[in-house]
């Protein structure tokens, strides 16, 4: 199922996984002080972890780091709908059943289990939540908040600045409902900065509580708040989404405008300067309507996506301060964090759309050599290869001419082998080749014959990667035969560098007379026979 494979290629921690494993990933999260921890969910709903396992944050039951993915058995089959992490790090998830699990660092009770012992395996957070269904979780550095289906917010953990919203600054050991002025209100979206919490209501109002020394609560002052306060300055503006950076906040309106407030020493507010703002400030996005804002409590980076699919970024970008929204040539806000945030962690759970949407390239790849709707077959060495005339005409000049002149539905091929011809046709569907070097020679011959320059280059690369003392002469002869000059040069140099071994091979003994003469004179010019 090629379908909805999650592209995690921009996150270095996944570079260790083999392609067949990467193809199975449907959800992923990268976190940790150096983006060195990762969790992912496969198409079979299995959950795996890899990384340094700081504070047991991988949920594997021990403190061992692992470069190989290990399965978190207790989470397999759970269907994760929301995931967040702190800087301890601690990790919290909400499942499709509305349950909350937490593990990792617990020095401030951020796991909500009433203790301060680190949690090495995912444990159900049950106090006050057993009868509730949680849909979204958000973590600050050492506190956690959760949103339920009925619009209530629960909070627990570190509370030095009032970020738990309980009206005090005592740490909160188990989940407690955030009420005061949120009583009887319906919350639809939550986010946390390092030491503050934000909530968006169904009526478009936005509330904040906790640390406020940089103005990140948007209240026009710098005083911490121990209970939720409405951002009065946004009266009459309908907020639909909030995102929090380390100490700054971004809010998106129902008309696609963005407001920003809080810390700004890296230009993360996008105002064009580096002055903190204690009140919501409208950001200039070049009249582009915004559909998503993105920030993460571990960094000072901001990103947004426009209705037309463009991605903007600002704030701290790889150590540079970018004070105004800058067009990044990415397809998602996730890429901004992968490439420009420090640390390069995910700002939310990466997920592929559950629908099995195939890109144009994936759809074509899937139809190659499939008889279903094929309208042409090639017969090679008595075997059949099913293809589509339209695609061949679009992809190859030779076929454009050939198929326009004939309307046959089967073509016999005698001059190339089945393996080579199938590889050529598959290349027209996929842009890639997958052949051992000896077979790539036959494909090189075909590419030369059909004047397919790029294919010729791919074959040469494949051959170079597969050269050995055993096959060097065979490959050299082929390069000469098909006039692949730089490949000939490459094979020749290899033969000279491995002269003793190469001259003892069977291929050398069977070498064509003219080629041998040519080889010896060229090698002596190279000084290969000087002792």
């Amino acid at each position: 199922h090629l379908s909805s494979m999650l592209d995690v290629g921009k996150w270095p921690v996944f570079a260790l996984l083999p392609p067949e494993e990467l193809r199975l990933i449907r959800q992923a999260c990268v976190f940790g002080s150096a983006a060195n921890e990762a969790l992912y969910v496969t198409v079979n709903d299995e959950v795996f972890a890899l990384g340094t396992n700081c504070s047991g944050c991988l949920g594997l039951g021990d403190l061992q780091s692992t470069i190989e993915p290990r399965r978190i058995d207790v989470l397999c089959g759970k269907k994760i709908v929301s995931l967040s992490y702190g800087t301890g790090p601690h990790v919290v998830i909400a499942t499709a059943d509305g349950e909350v699990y937490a593990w990792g660092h617990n020095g401030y009770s951020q796991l909500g289990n009433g203790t301060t012992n680190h949690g090495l395996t995912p444990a159900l957070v049950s106090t006050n939540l057993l009868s509730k269904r949680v849909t979204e979780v958000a973590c600050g550095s050492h506190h956690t908040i959760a949103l339920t289906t009925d619009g209530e917010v629960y909070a627990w953990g570190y509370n030095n600045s009032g970020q738990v919203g309980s009206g005090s600054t005592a740490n909160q050991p188990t989940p407690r409902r955030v009420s005061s002025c949120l009583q009887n209100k319906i919350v639809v979206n939550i986010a946390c900065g390092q030491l503050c919490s934000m909530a968006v209501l169904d009526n478009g109002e936005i509330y904040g509580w906790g640390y406020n020394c940089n103005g990140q609560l948007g209240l026009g002052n710098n005083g911490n708040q121990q209970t939720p306060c409405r951002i009065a300055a946004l009266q009459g503006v309908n907020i639909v989404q909030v995102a929090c950076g380390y100490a700054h906040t971004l809010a998106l309106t129902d008309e696609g405008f963005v407001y920003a407030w809080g810390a700004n020493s890296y230009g993360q507010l996008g105002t064009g300067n580096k002055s903190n703002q204690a009140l919501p400030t409208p950001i200039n996005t070049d009249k582009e309507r915004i559909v998503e804002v993105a920030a993460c409590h571990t960094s000072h980076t901001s990103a947004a996506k426009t209705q037309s699919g463009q991605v903007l970024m600002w704030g701290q970008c790889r150590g540079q301060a970018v004070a105004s929204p800058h067009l990044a040539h990415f397809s998602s806000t996730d890429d901004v964090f992968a490439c420009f945030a420090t640390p390069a962690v995910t700002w939310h759970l990466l997920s592929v759309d559950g629908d099995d949407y195939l890109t144009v390239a994936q759809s074509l790849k899937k139809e190659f050599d499939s008889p279903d709707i094929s309208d042409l077959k090639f017969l090679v060495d008595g075997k059949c290869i099913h293809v589509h005339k339209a695609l061949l005409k679009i992809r190859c000049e030779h076929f454009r001419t050939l198929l326009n002149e004939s309307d046959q539905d089967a073509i016999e091929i005698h001059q190339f082998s089945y393996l080579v011809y199938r590889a050529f046709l598959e290349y027209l569907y996929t842009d890639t080749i997958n052949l051992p070097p000896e077979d790539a020679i036959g494909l090189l011959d075909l590419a030369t014959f059909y004047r397919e320059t790029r294919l010729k280059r791919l074959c040469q690369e494949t051959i170079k990667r597969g050269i050995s003392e055993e096959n060097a002469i065979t490959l050299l002869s082929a390069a000469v035969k098909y006039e692949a000059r730089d490949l000939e040069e490459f094979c020749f140099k290899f033969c000279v560098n491995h002269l003793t071994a190469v001259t003892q091979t069977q291929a050398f003994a069977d070498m064509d007379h003219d080629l041998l003469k040519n080889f010896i004179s060229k090698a002596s010019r190279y000084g290969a026979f000087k002792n």
Side-chain angles (χ1 to χ4, degrees), residues 128-259:
N128 293 333
L129 292 180
L130 279 181
S131 60
K132 303 288 176 184
R133 293 188 59 147
V134 170
T135 54
E136 195 181 346
V137 289
C139 298
S141 63
H142 301 287
H143 77 289
T144 308
I145 65 176
L147 174 63
T148 68
T149 44
D150 41 17
E152 298 175 345
V153 176
Y154 287 79
W156 59 94
Y158 193 36
N159 195 29
N160 68 332
S161 312
Q163 60 265 47
V164 168
S166 59
S168 78
T169 52
N171 293 347
Q172 177 60 40
T174 52
R176 176 193 175 278
R177 174 147 185 226
V178 181
S179 50
S180 59
C181 58
L182 286 186
Q183 193 75 40
N184 306 322
K185 302 272 203 309
I186 293 179
V187 174
V188 292
N189 178 227
I190 53 173
C192 291
Q194 279 278 297
L195 300 166
C196 70
S197 308
M198 304 294 297
V200 177
L201 269 49
D202 63 344
N203 65 4
E205 292 179 346
I206 181 167
Y207 285 74
W209 59 99
Y211 189 76
N212 193 30
C213 292
N214 310 98
Q216 54 263 64
L217 298 186
L219 303 171
N221 61 45
N222 290 94
N224 294 353
Q225 298 293 332
Q226 295 170 14
T227 54
C229 287
R230 184 169 71 90
I231 301 182
L234 289 172
Q235 176 73 38
V237 175
N238 260 309
I239 300 300
V240 290
Q241 190 216 337
V242 63
C244 295
Y246 189 92
H248 76 287
T249 309
L250 304 173
L252 176 66
T253 77
D254 60 350
E255 296 179 281
F257 296 116
V258 177
Y259 287 85

Side-chain angles (χ1 to χ4, degrees), residues 30-53:
V30 176
F31 60 105
S33 56
N36 46 1
E37 317 280 4
L39 298 165
Y40 65 90
V41 185
T42 66
V43 65
N44 319 316
D45 271 320
E46 290 191 304
V47 183
F48 291 88
L50 70 158
T52 52
N53 205 8

Side-chain angles (χ1 to χ4, degrees), residues 6-8 11 13-14 17 22 25-31 37-42 48 50 80 83 85 334 345-352:
L6 184 64
D7 177 20
V8 291
W11 310 89
V13 65
F14 285 109
L17 268 58
L22 289 172
I25 298 181
R26 291 299 174 270
Q27 290 174 303
C29 171
V30 176
F31 60 105
E37 317 280 4
L39 298 165
Y40 65 90
V41 185
T42 66
F48 291 88
L50 70 158
I80 300 173
L83 179 153
Y85 53 83
D334 300 314
V345 294
T346 49
W347 71 274
H348 62 168
L349 180 65
L350 300 179
S351 292
V352 262

